[in-house]
Amino acid sequence: MGEIRVVLQSLKMSIHTRMQYRGDSLVATLAVFFRESANIIAIYLALLKFDRINDWNVNEMLFLYSILFLTYAFVVSLFADLRQFSDTIREGRFDRLLVRPRSLLLQLILNNADLIASAGHGTLGILLFVISAGRVGIHWDLVTILYYIGAIIGGILIQGGMFIIFSSLCFYFVETNSIRDIFYWNMRKFAGYPISIYHKLIQGILIYVVPFAFVNYFPAQYLLRKEDMANYPAIYIYIAPFVGIIVYAAAYLFWRVSVKRYYSTGN
């Protein structure tokens, strides 16, 4: 209970800090919303001309994107400090965490939560879900609702686990931002489309290396049952919510091993 209290208190402090400048926060949130919306508008306009992408229509594409934005909205709140963890080590801020009687990873989680980015992505994700969910032929019952919730949680854990892994690499290498950019941000762009449109190499990376396919593609396939799912083992759509637990557990173990290599940056 003590650890949960710390997490909630940290979140409360982050919200209080952001609310000190409400006007700036609102403008920044809208900026994030419209920046990300530009990509969605481009896809929408393209589909007006081409109608479908590998048999995925515009509403199905929007539904695919809605999962990506919704999960990232939580990730950017829970794991904000891990996005630039190499800076935390290089500037000596990690040393301060070592002397506190709390879990190192727990101190990083929810510390300085990026609520602006979270609100921007979350609002767009909800909007896309509202627009698309009723138009893609999903029969919403207790099973599909529970699966959807599990898939969202799994997607959060997958991306959070990836941030933990990239952060753990900072204990081995001086600079890891380029690795993170290649394997997270660039792969995230691919995840906005059905992975079946890509070369087998890209598909393999999105399934087995940086498993974004289990964040939105396979969960969407469980709900939509598109024909291109025939290219992959059917079990993938059922295990998608559980992949997040596996990825996060592996990331946590890697963190525990890696943090032992850390030596203070000194002066």
Side-chain angles (χ1 to χ4, degrees):
M1 291 298 294
E3 300 293 340
I4 296 176
R5 192 179 301 113
V6 171
V7 169
L8 294 177
Q9 185 65 26
S10 179
L11 180 59
K12 180 180 178 180
M13 291 173 60
S14 295
I15 294 174
H16 179 72
T17 300
R18 293 296 182 184
M19 290 300 101
Q20 295 282 336
Y21 308 97
R22 297 182 182 180
D24 292 344
S25 297
L26 177 60
V27 171
T29 298
L30 291 174
V32 172
F33 176 86
F34 288 117
R35 182 193 67 198
E36 299 299 332
S37 296
N39 295 326
I40 303 302
I41 293 172
I43 293 171
Y44 178 78
L45 293 176
L47 286 173
L48 288 180
K49 181 176 180 62
F50 298 106
D51 188 41
R52 293 174 179 268
I53 295 180
N54 203 22
D55 199 39
W56 287 65
N57 64 36
V58 63
N59 288 310
E60 291 164 342
M61 289 286 294
L62 294 181
F63 184 76
L64 195 66
Y65 256 106
S66 72
I67 300 175
L68 199 60
F69 283 117
L70 282 173
T71 54
Y72 185 72
F74 288 97
V75 170
V76 78
S77 287
L78 294 170
F79 303 95
D81 253 19
L82 294 175
R83 289 181 302 174
Q84 302 291 340
F85 187 65
S86 59
D87 295 339
T88 300
I89 289 184
R90 188 168 53 251
E91 296 169 6
R93 287 182 280 129
F94 188 66
D95 292 351
R96 295 200 298 266
L97 305 182
L98 294 172
V99 299
R100 297 173 182 172
R102 294 291 180 186
S103 163
L104 290 171
L105 191 56
L106 182 63
Q107 291 183 68
L108 290 166
I109 292 176
L110 274 181
N111 187 37
N112 297 322
D114 191 347
L115 299 178
I116 289 175
S118 179
H121 284 85
T123 301
L124 183 56
I126 293 172
L127 179 62
L128 293 177
F129 177 83
V130 170
I131 292 173
S132 63
R135 302 177 180 179
V136 292
I138 299 174
H139 174 63
W140 292 101
D141 55 22
L142 181 60
V143 174
T144 54
I145 291 173
L146 290 176
Y147 178 91
Y148 181 82
I149 294 172
I152 294 296
I153 295 173
I156 295 168
L157 292 176
I158 288 173
Q159 295 175 80
M162 284 192 279
F163 276 128
I164 292 174
I165 290 173
F166 298 139
S167 297
S168 300
L169 290 175
C170 294
F171 299 119
Y172 299 89
F173 306 102
V174 176
E175 180 58 64
T176 62
N177 287 342
S178 58
I179 298 175
R180 181 205 60 213
D181 291 346
I182 293 172
F183 286 100
Y184 184 85
W185 299 116
N186 289 341
M187 289 298 106
R188 185 172 180 268
K189 294 176 182 177
F190 286 115
Y193 296 85
I195 67 169
S196 56
I197 69 173
Y198 300 122
H199 186 275
K200 291 293 185 181
L201 176 62
I202 300 298
Q203 293 183 38
I205 293 174
L206 290 171
I207 296 174
Y208 304 111
V209 181
V210 187
F212 267 113
F214 291 97
V215 173
N216 63 340
Y217 178 73
F218 290 127
Q221 284 285 15
Y222 177 88
L223 299 167
L224 302 178
R225 304 300 173 116
K226 302 296 294 179
E227 292 183 0
D228 56 332
M229 184 60 207
N231 298 323
Y232 313 101
I235 194 174
Y236 285 178
I237 65 176
Y238 299 104
I239 66 172
F242 303 101
V243 170
I245 298 174
I246 297 171
V247 171
Y248 191 87
Y252 179 71
L253 291 175
F254 183 51
W255 167 272
R256 291 289 300 270
V257 172
S258 301
V259 76
K260 295 177 182 179
R261 297 177 55 92
Y262 177 72
Y263 296 95
S264 174
T265 53
N267 295 323

